[in-house]
Amino acid sequence: MAGTRKTITLDEKIEKAQEAVEKTKARYDAAVKELRDLLDKKDAQRKQELLKAVENSPRTFDEIMAFLKAEE
């Protein structure tokens, strides 16, 4: 005897597609949050590195600011 096939209605297909989209969006949102957090950490590290370089520089604050503002 042949097995019976369940007929999937259009509404059921739509519901499954919506669930898939919601799961994918949740994963996407989590990945975006993780990326933002990592970029924020990298930015903080770079700022700290820049601050240390300025503190250890023999140049004055005004000299450093003039250099940064100078146009090439």
Side-chain angles (χ1 to χ4, degrees):
M1 182 179 263
T4 60
R5 284 187 157 187
K6 178 181 177 187
T7 305
I8 298 177
T9 67
L10 185 56
D11 288 337
E12 290 172 328
K13 287 181 181 180
I14 290 170
E15 186 177 328
K16 284 185 180 184
Q18 285 176 330
E19 289 173 3
V21 167
E22 289 170 5
K23 287 179 184 178
T24 302
K25 185 177 182 322
R27 287 194 308 267
Y28 168 81
D29 290 343
V32 168
K33 182 184 180 318
E34 180 181 9
L35 176 59
R36 283 186 185 141
D37 290 346
L38 291 170
L39 290 172
D40 288 346
K41 284 181 183 180
K42 183 177 182 179
D43 188 47
Q45 286 177 340
R46 293 182 79 186
K47 286 177 182 178
Q48 187 64 32
E49 185 178 340
L50 180 60
L51 181 60
K52 283 184 181 184
V54 169
E55 288 173 350
N56 294 330
S57 174
R59 308 275 187 223
T60 66
F61 175 80
D62 292 331
E63 290 173 325
I64 293 170
M65 290 304 295
F67 171 77
L68 293 174
K69 292 179 182 179
E71 293 186 26
E72 294 183 24

